[in-house]
Amino acid sequence: MSDIQSIRTQALERLEHLSTLEDAQTWEADYLGPKGAVKLFQRSLGSLSAEERPAAGRAANDLSRELTEAFAPILERLQAESLTAGMASDSIDVTLPGRTPTVGAAHPINAMIDELIEIFAHMGFQSVFGPEVETGRYNFDLLNIPADHPARDVWDTMIVQAPNAEIIMRTHTSPMQARTMERMEPPVRVIVPGKAYRFEAQDASHEWQFTQLEGLMVDKDVRLSDLKGVLQEMARQLFGPERKVRFRCDFFPFVEPGVDFSVDCAVCDGKGCRVCKYTGWLEMGGAGMVHPNVLRGVGYDPKVYSGFAFGLGIERIIMMKYGVNDIRAFQANDLRFLERFAAAGA
Amino acid sequence: MKAPLSWLKDMVSIEITAEELAARMTMAGLEAEKIEHLGAEWGDKVYVAEVLNVTQHPDADRLVLADIQAGEHRLTVVTGAPNIATGQKVVLALAGARLVDAYADEPGKMKTLKPGKIRGIMSEGMVCSEKELGMSDEHEGILVLPDDAPVGTLLQHYLGDTVIEFEITPNLVHAFSVRGLAGEAGAILNEPVRELAVASMDGVPVQENLVRIDAPQLCSRYIGVIIDGVQVEPSPAWLAGRLAAAGVRPINNLVDITNYVMLEIGQPLHAFDLRNVAGERIIVRTATDGEQMETLDHTMRTFTAADLLITDAEKPVAVAGVMGGVNSEVLDDTTSILLESANFDMVSVRQTGRRLKLRTDALARFERGLDPNLSWNAAMRAVQLVLDVCPDATVRCYADEYPVKKAPINISLPFVKIEKVLGMAIDAATVVNVLSRLGFQPVISGETLSVTVPTNRSDVTLSEDVIEEVARIVGYDNLPATMPIGETPIVERDAMFLLERAVRESLVAAGAFEGRSYVTVSESAQQTFAGVTRESTENHLVRLINPLNDAQPVLRTSLLPRLIDAVAENLKHEKTVRLFEIGHAFFGTTPDELPDEPSHLAFAYAGYREPFNRFAPQVRKLNTEQAAAQELDYFDVKGALEVALERVGATDLTYARSEHPALHPGRTASVKVKGEHIGTIGEVRPDLAKELGVGENRLVVAEIDLARVHQLLGGQAKMQISVDHFLPVEQDFAFLVDKSVPAADVEQALRRNAGPLLTDIVLFDVFEGKQIGADKKSLAYRLTFTAPDRALTDAELEKQRVKIQKGVKALVGGELRA
């Protein structure tokens, strides 16, 4: 019995001084392990007399239980300490830059086209696309712009070599008005995003190759006020709910009445600032009610149908929205410009 | 068109500022582009003054001392002006005034006036010439003002003006004059327009044979007036000042009057020196082919039978509506003139101007279709001004050939149509009032609005035009915003657009940036990359007659030349360039028909794969071989292309070694969908890459005909996604094959023998080395098998493994390595 007493005394004594997880593992092996002191004592019980054996066996079991219970909280504490120490040595400078994933970006013009397509789809407009090289018939004649009329000078045209035909780079996306109406019966609601070309010197606000979005709606009882409503909705979606659309009278041969439309400046809330040249308004494009001659030209009866059409410059919208100050940036393919739109998500 | 405010105010009362007027005119369709305040630069130091006394300078023969008074300012000025005299009204500049330096070499250079001694006598100010005031180049003497000039007033209040420049849209011919703009202002402001003073022909004899029109279809009216006793001299200040303010250079009183009336009324006029009008008669006829005349710009012109000429009894004297002839121009000693006020066909004038490459102020008005009824008023206004300016002038006779008088048209519309078109109701009284203000004669009877349109409004022919007239004066501002009523059509989505968008999205996710290039290229650049998507012999090039840059007259058949230029530019400041572009290429088919415009996808990559940062291997510290391994190469573009095309359902892409003159012979492939060549991928030859400005970098490019991909896929991109819940099993195979066997063949052999449960196949190692033989390579693949309905057993897998081993050996001679 004295043997088991000394095991107990020594075990408890050492338990109090355990300071590392390794020490604890050694202690556990020394006393509670398969070759530990308690197991060895239990194995030696066979050499005792029959009278002594039950009491000694109980004492050994009691000691095993006592030591296990005493060891558990200490082990837990040492494990926690070890984990804490391990994490402490694994700490980093959390202000170091992260691993940058390789991210590209859609061209801002295409991102804006996507956005406009979505906005107009909600109003029932479907997107159609057409050729960039056009005939004079679709680009001018069917749009009520006769040959030898000064109205034709408004569009400085790039001409394609063709021995006996008038083939040109389309000067606007409007030829798709006639192409669409020839293909469809009213009601028509379409938008046409695409490139257009003008023989025009380049500067910070003029490009010879640029992007337009054409809109066309033809139905019974379409009104000029509907055009204003649709454009106002577009402006709200693009520039925020406070935006207002302003119409002023203007002339385009394929509409009557004709409209030039502006949106109040989102930068200054229409109060006047550098971006809007202190007018409070930013010009967006031309629009109006489809001219009866255009409807007649594609076989629609202007007595039955009416419609509106509009055209706006996509670069201009992006320039307004993101403060881009040089239109030539859109075709310079400079990554320093394109990268800015990776985050903007236009 | 520049309209001086003072001129507008001659005809209509304007109580608002020029800025407010400009804004209101703009809203009504007359866009004011610019407002200029003339004379503002004279400031508060330049006055209208009176010369009280002139005395000789005691020490200089050519100088005088002038005693000048302007209100409270009275001072002595030393001047050498030869024309100064007591009692004159002149312009006095005080010390501190900003004036044009008349002696500076640089034209228009300004200086600040300082008092100074001239030959010992203090000159406290200056009497100014027109040049010093910035009004003209005249510096022979001082500017002498009319006797009624208000002494003591700031000059800017007397001679200054505000000029509004309007952009007149091509439809508006009636507003292309000060009188027309005054009419618009009057309609907008609801103010009456005052009539101009015009001469009367009462008692003047009509001379029937003065004018003959031989081409009545091109000349609807010709008024000729002969005036004797004219004296050609510089215009009076008011006339010259008005012209200068409107941007027209004064020449002499008679020419200036014709220009003045053109600006004022919109009708171009011409004055001939009667001495040089043979037979003192005018014949309006078309030219004979090859007929010649020297125009006022001193250019000999040759005409065709389509050109309309003004001729006398012997020769042409003017190109109708375009420009006069030198042979009959008004000269300093002209004493009698024949004044022309006529109407010419708009198309004919325009075509002649084009043919002669001449654009004049007269042509710009005729080509819009002038009202022949304007001619008389303009002629009479000009005669009045000639009589005013030349005191000895008398009208000898006149003729007015006007065979078919233009009558006003009438437009009727249901009154309710106004609201139907605008979406805004306007009451009858307002409609009648607004149209009347614009010079229309509206009548409402019952449900119908009937409008008589004045003959100068040839732009108004339809009921829609009438509605716009009402709306623009009532104000587009008042228009409500409504949403369209009626059925919303079904929105079809364009399949090609969706394909392009899916390709774009996957490439952006793969780290590439989308570019956008000009569609024109040079002949040589186009030639370099010809044939990457289709044989260059199949089509002809599409060329521009008037490209913006003469060196780039061809529409691209490949997007690569411009994209490669962009790579070269970007490499100047970037370590990594991954660019792609989606856009049309242009292939001529049949002459006189529109070209084929397929949508292409192009790539151009160069530089290092990883951006320079702390995680990437520091290229500078690597040896040559390691650094080369960090360069973007063929496989970067191929991977991107695979990602993009698989996304749109083109899974059965194949690649076959091919050649292209611009590309590296060992690193170029033809890309095929369903066995058809749709494009090329490869590295640009190192020598060409260097020439194209990308230096020593590998330049990897690819170009695909996306439109063809779309057609081959049957129009609809398909993608099948099933979610497998049973665990996939991965099995690795390494095959030893001859070096010459393309990996694509090995992969194909694997796929053929891997059975239906194969869900993925990845090549994860390519090894060459002495250990395996110089002519061999080892390709290691990981195959993934998944069954949709069960866990795979070892027996099943073993069976497949044996089949693969045998199959690959049979097809490509590959030995399975241990």
Side-chain angles (χ1 to χ4, degrees):
Chain A
M1 295 300 278
S2 63
D3 215 9
I4 196 160
Q5 272 308 324
S6 66
I7 292 171
R8 180 177 180 274
T9 310
Q10 197 190 16
L12 291 175
E13 158 87 30
R14 273 181 64 192
L15 192 62
E16 260 177 49
H17 294 98
L18 292 181
S19 61
T20 68
L21 201 54
E22 290 76 40
D23 288 350
Q25 280 154 359
T26 311
W27 183 92
E28 193 179 18
D30 287 352
Y31 297 102
L32 297 175
K35 289 175 182 168
V38 177
K39 272 273 168 328
L40 289 178
F41 177 76
Q42 281 168 332
R43 246 174 254 149
S44 72
L45 286 177
S47 63
L48 292 180
S49 66
E51 301 85 69
E52 286 172 314
R53 217 178 285 151
R58 261 196 310 278
N61 286 342
D62 287 348
L63 179 59
S64 177
R65 197 182 313 113
E66 184 188 359
L67 290 181
T68 303
E69 279 169 11
F71 179 60
I74 289 168
L75 178 68
E76 200 176 311
R77 174 173 58 78
L78 290 174
Q79 277 173 336
E81 281 172 9
S82 163
L83 185 65
T84 306
M87 290 192 295
S89 68
D90 193 27
S91 80
I92 53 166
D93 177 354
V94 295
T95 66
L96 279 173
R99 276 189 188 84
T100 314
T102 312
V103 182
H107 194 279
I109 288 176
N110 287 321
M112 181 54 74
I113 287 174
D114 273 355
E115 191 173 345
L116 287 164
I117 285 176
E118 191 201 338
I119 290 169
F120 280 103
H122 290 166
M123 292 188 272
F125 286 77
Q126 85 178 51
S127 311
V128 294
F129 303 84
E132 292 166 25
V133 180
E134 261 295 1
T135 60
R137 177 176 157 78
Y138 282 104
N139 197 79
F140 294 123
D141 301 345
L142 284 172
L143 290 168
N144 196 36
I145 311 167
D148 287 313
H149 191 278
R152 208 135 165 167
D153 293 348
V154 175
W155 294 272
D156 296 308
T157 310
M158 301 183 96
I159 303 159
V160 171
Q161 278 184 15
N164 302 302
E166 190 186 8
I167 297 184
I168 57 160
M169 303 302 288
R170 68 176 174 191
T171 60
H172 42 198
T173 43
S174 311
M176 280 303 287
Q177 285 190 22
R179 285 187 180 275
T180 303
M181 287 189 281
E182 282 179 344
R183 233 182 42 221
M184 290 172 141
E185 285 303 312
V188 171
R189 294 190 195 185
V190 294
I191 55 168
V192 191
K195 292 189 179 113
Y197 305 85
R198 304 225 176 128
F199 186 79
E200 186 170 79
Q202 289 167 293
D203 62 29
S205 48
H206 296 92
E207 254 294 8
W208 67 269
Q209 174 177 317
F210 58 99
T211 322
Q212 280 196 332
L213 185 98
E214 189 82 9
L216 173 71
M217 168 169 181
V218 181
D219 200 348
K220 289 171 181 162
D221 301 319
V222 179
R223 304 158 295 179
L224 191 62
S225 57
D226 297 334
L227 170 64
K228 195 169 188 177
V230 166
L231 290 174
Q232 185 139 308
E233 185 55 23
M234 177 198 73
R236 280 160 34 84
Q237 297 284 351
L238 277 180
F239 300 111
E242 304 304 318
R243 298 282 66 82
K244 297 257 180 311
V245 163
R246 184 185 77 173
F247 277 9
R248 72 171 191 82
C249 181
D250 203 350
F251 170 72
F252 304 97
F254 37 102
V255 288
E256 188 71 32
V259 167
D260 163 296
F261 66 101
S262 306
V263 173
D264 63 335
C265 180
V267 176
C268 61
D269 240 354
K271 291 184 188 75
C273 69
R274 196 181 51 80
V275 173
C276 61
K277 293 184 183 133
Y278 303 95
T279 62
W281 297 93
L282 291 164
E283 274 194 33
M284 303 273 294
M289 300 301 288
V290 180
H291 197 286
N293 291 351
V294 174
L295 294 175
R296 223 172 272 125
V298 295
Y300 285 9
D301 184 352
K303 288 199 181 68
V304 179
Y305 296 109
S306 58
F308 63 68
F310 60 87
L312 47 90
I314 301 226
E315 285 88 347
R316 232 187 127 64
I317 293 179
I318 303 169
M319 291 169 85
M320 258 182 231
K321 191 163 176 174
Y322 298 108
V324 178
N325 56 14
D326 193 331
I327 195 170
R328 290 168 295 195
F330 291 104
Q331 274 153 161
N333 290 333
D334 188 325
L335 284 170
R336 292 170 296 185
F337 175 71
L338 298 174
E339 276 164 2
R340 289 186 45 203
F341 294 91
Chain B
M1 155 107 211
K2 287 182 169 185
L5 196 57
S6 67
W7 205 343
L8 289 170
K9 284 181 173 174
D10 281 357
M11 294 171 239
V12 66
S13 292
I14 296 169
E15 303 291 337
I16 55 178
T17 65
E19 283 73 14
E20 285 169 322
L21 178 68
R24 293 190 58 180
M25 300 276 280
T26 297
M27 290 300 287
L30 296 138
E31 187 179 1
E33 295 192 301
K34 208 162 92 185
I35 300 175
E36 253 183 304
H37 295 280
L38 299 181
E41 69 277 11
W42 297 326
D44 56 358
K45 300 279 192 234
V46 181
Y47 286 90
V48 176
E50 183 171 9
V51 182
L52 298 179
N53 193 18
V54 179
T55 53
Q56 188 62 41
H57 190 293
D59 299 322
D61 287 350
R62 295 185 173 211
L63 296 178
V64 294
L65 309 181
D67 181 8
I68 312 267
Q69 180 162 30
E72 63 195 30
H73 304 285
R74 178 163 181 177
L75 38 92
T76 300
V77 171
V78 182
T79 173
N83 61 335
I84 193 163
T86 302
Q88 281 173 339
K89 303 295 188 314
V90 296
V91 176
L92 173 69
L94 304 177
R98 298 279 296 157
L99 298 171
V100 172
D101 185 347
Y103 299 101
D105 291 336
E106 179 193 332
K109 188 175 183 228
M110 302 292 282
K111 63 169 188 191
T112 302
L113 183 63
K114 290 182 193 131
K117 278 189 179 173
I118 301 177
R119 289 293 191 93
I121 294 184
M122 188 57 142
S123 182
E124 297 162 276
M126 189 159 88
V127 182
C128 303
S129 69
E130 288 187 25
K131 185 170 183 181
E132 283 156 341
L133 293 169
M135 295 167 70
S136 76
D137 284 340
E138 180 60 49
H139 191 56
E140 284 295 298
I142 54 166
L143 170 62
V144 178
L145 299 172
D147 283 342
D148 59 359
V151 172
T153 318
L154 284 172
L155 185 68
Q156 65 165 316
H157 295 155
Y158 176 55
L159 280 189
D161 206 342
T162 298
V163 179
I164 308 177
E165 187 165 358
F166 292 97
E167 192 202 320
I168 310 291
T169 53
N171 59 324
L172 297 181
V173 65
H174 77 285
F176 203 168
S177 63
V178 180
R179 169 68 180 73
L181 289 166
E184 287 285 315
I188 292 164
L189 303 174
N190 200 8
E191 290 284 345
V193 177
R194 289 184 284 274
E195 290 309 322
L196 297 161
V198 295
S200 159
M201 289 294 108
D202 285 357
V204 176
V206 175
Q207 189 177 333
E208 294 290 358
N209 64 351
L210 181 61
V211 173
R212 192 178 88 208
I213 300 173
D214 286 354
Q217 71 286 4
L218 300 182
C219 174
S220 59
R221 185 177 197 179
Y222 197 106
I223 299 166
V225 183
I226 291 178
I227 307 174
D228 296 317
V230 298
Q231 196 176 357
V232 177
E233 51 188 22
S235 288
W238 68 266
L239 177 52
R242 279 261 166 98
L243 287 183
V248 174
R249 192 169 57 90
I251 295 167
N252 62 49
N253 53 359
L254 294 178
V255 173
D256 290 352
I257 284 168
T258 61
N259 283 331
Y260 185 89
V261 173
M262 176 182 72
L263 294 176
E264 188 172 59
I265 295 183
Q267 164 76 53
L269 303 175
H270 189 67
F272 299 97
D273 185 332
L274 193 63
R275 284 178 300 182
N276 297 317
V277 178
E280 295 194 353
R281 62 176 316 203
I282 291 294
I283 299 154
V284 186
R285 61 166 171 84
T286 51
T288 52
D289 264 324
E291 198 169 2
Q292 289 191 317
M293 184 194 76
E294 185 182 351
T295 43
L296 283 171
D297 57 355
H298 299 287
T299 307
M300 186 57 75
R301 308 282 179 177
T302 307
F303 305 106
T304 73
D307 299 318
L308 186 67
L309 298 179
I310 311 302
T311 68
D312 60 16
E314 298 166 357
K315 62 181 185 296
V317 289
V319 190
V322 182
M323 192 179 268
V326 168
N327 56 19
S328 53
E329 78 176 303
V330 170
L331 303 169
D332 287 349
D333 61 350
T334 298
T335 55
S336 294
I337 57 165
L338 188 150
L339 182 75
E340 166 197 295
S341 179
N343 191 279
F344 304 114
D345 177 69
M346 57 193 283
V347 173
S348 160
V349 169
R350 182 176 158 84
Q351 287 176 341
T352 294
R354 283 210 152 175
R355 208 156 27 235
L356 301 179
K357 295 195 165 58
L358 257 178
R359 274 201 72 83
T360 58
D361 289 339
L363 181 149
R365 286 167 173 82
F366 280 120
E367 72 171 6
R368 292 168 189 238
L370 276 177
D371 177 16
N373 293 330
L374 205 62
S375 308
W376 181 258
N377 204 31
M380 292 307 104
R381 175 68 174 156
V383 170
Q384 181 63 49
L385 293 177
V386 172
L387 296 177
D388 288 349
V389 168
C390 303
D392 299 331
T394 56
V395 180
R396 189 202 297 178
C397 61
Y398 77 99
D400 179 7
E401 279 298 300
Y402 189 15
V404 184
K405 198 167 167 17
K406 184 176 180 185
I409 63 159
N410 197 281
I411 299 172
S412 290
L413 59 147
F415 187 81
V416 70
K417 188 169 179 183
I418 298 174
E419 185 176 355
K420 270 192 82 173
V421 170
L422 297 177
M424 164 172 75
I426 301 172
D427 65 82
T430 304
V431 169
V432 168
N433 177 276
V434 163
L435 288 172
S436 304
R437 272 148 64 181
L438 286 164
F440 295 82
Q441 291 167 290
V443 177
I444 295 179
S445 70
E447 304 291 296
T448 303
L449 169 65
S450 169
V451 181
T452 304
V453 180
T455 53
N456 67 343
R457 293 304 307 272
S458 52
D459 58 314
V460 177
T461 58
L462 304 172
S463 54
E464 284 78 5
D465 299 322
V466 173
I467 293 168
E468 176 178 273
E469 289 301 306
V470 175
R472 73 188 181 94
I473 300 299
V474 169
Y476 279 25
D477 258 359
N478 296 315
L479 204 68
T482 56
M483 286 311 273
I485 46 177
E487 190 188 339
T488 306
I490 287 167
V491 176
E492 300 282 359
R493 301 204 297 166
D494 185 272
M496 188 63 210
F497 170 76
L498 292 178
L499 181 139
E500 287 178 13
R501 191 168 67 179
V503 165
R504 174 179 302 119
E505 280 172 359
S506 57
L507 290 175
V508 167
F513 286 88
E514 187 181 21
R516 192 174 180 87
S517 308
Y518 298 109
V519 297
T520 53
V521 291
S522 71
E523 192 93 29
S524 64
Q526 126 69 30
Q527 187 53 43
T528 305
F529 290 96
V532 287
T533 56
R534 54 170 98 171
E535 285 301 325
S536 48
T537 49
E538 285 173 30
N539 303 91
H540 66 262
L541 293 179
V542 184
R543 288 168 197 279
L544 296 178
I545 289 175
N546 58 338
L548 208 70
N549 179 346
D550 287 338
Q552 290 159 347
V554 176
L555 295 191
R556 63 187 183 187
T557 58
S558 163
L559 282 51
L560 290 176
R562 293 277 193 181
L563 214 50
I564 290 171
D565 286 349
V567 170
E569 277 305 307
N570 276 300
L571 281 174
K572 291 175 183 167
H573 47 78
E574 304 289 332
K575 295 247 182 317
T576 308
V577 182
R578 289 187 184 91
L579 279 173
F580 74 99
E581 180 174 354
I582 300 170
H584 290 190
F586 302 85
F587 297 92
T589 51
T590 315
D592 297 330
E593 298 277 326
L594 292 184
D596 192 11
E597 282 184 41
S599 181
H600 277 195
L601 164 66
F603 296 81
Y605 280 25
Y608 291 106
R609 197 165 295 126
E610 295 261 358
F612 176 76
N613 65 31
R614 68 194 179 95
F615 300 107
Q618 306 286 294
V619 171
R620 259 175 308 168
K621 294 181 190 161
L622 301 176
N623 66 36
T624 320
E625 202 177 313
Q626 289 168 323
Q630 298 300 316
E631 261 191 288
L632 290 165
D633 63 18
Y634 174 89
F635 297 106
D636 292 273
V637 171
K638 189 175 182 216
L641 182 61
E642 284 165 345
V643 163
L645 292 185
E646 277 171 25
R647 162 79 186 268
V648 297
T651 46
D652 50 355
L653 283 181
T654 54
Y655 296 80
R657 186 180 288 279
S658 73
E659 286 186 6
H660 186 279
L663 301 177
H664 189 309
R667 291 172 166 256
T668 295
S670 155
V671 185
K672 296 178 180 183
V673 169
K674 296 190 175 167
E676 186 177 320
H677 173 73
I678 53 151
T680 304
I681 174 170
E683 293 182 17
V684 174
R685 298 173 59 92
D687 53 342
L688 179 61
K690 207 167 184 175
E691 200 180 301
L692 295 174
V694 301
E696 302 295 333
N697 291 279
R698 279 186 196 275
L699 172 59
V700 197
V701 299
E703 184 153 7
I704 301 295
D705 183 342
L706 273 188
R708 193 74 193 115
V709 171
H710 179 61
Q711 287 165 354
L712 290 168
L713 294 179
Q716 198 71 52
K718 283 196 189 71
M719 195 157 53
Q720 204 178 349
I721 298 175
S722 62
V723 180
D724 300 312
H725 293 290
F726 289 89
L727 281 182
V729 181
E730 290 166 347
Q731 295 242 299
D732 292 352
F733 296 84
F735 287 99
L736 204 59
V737 292
D738 285 348
K739 248 185 198 174
S740 61
V741 175
D745 293 0
V746 180
E747 185 177 323
Q748 200 182 17
L750 281 166
R751 284 188 188 279
R752 271 200 209 169
N753 291 287
L757 301 182
L758 180 76
T759 48
D760 195 17
I761 184 163
V762 178
L763 173 68
F764 66 88
D765 190 41
V766 179
F767 178 74
E768 293 173 14
K770 273 184 290 210
Q771 308 93 302
I772 57 170
D775 58 344
K776 296 280 183 189
K777 64 183 171 188
S778 164
L779 302 173
Y781 293 89
R782 172 162 295 181
L783 275 60
T784 307
F785 298 92
T786 321
D789 52 353
R790 64 188 193 280
L792 290 168
T793 64
D794 287 349
E796 265 182 298
L797 289 166
E798 186 51 36
K799 213 171 129 192
Q800 199 67 55
R801 194 174 175 84
V802 171
K803 190 168 180 241
I804 288 170
Q805 186 179 352
K806 283 185 185 159
V808 171
K809 187 174 168 76
L811 284 168
V812 294
E815 291 287 351
L816 188 63
R817 299 179 76 198

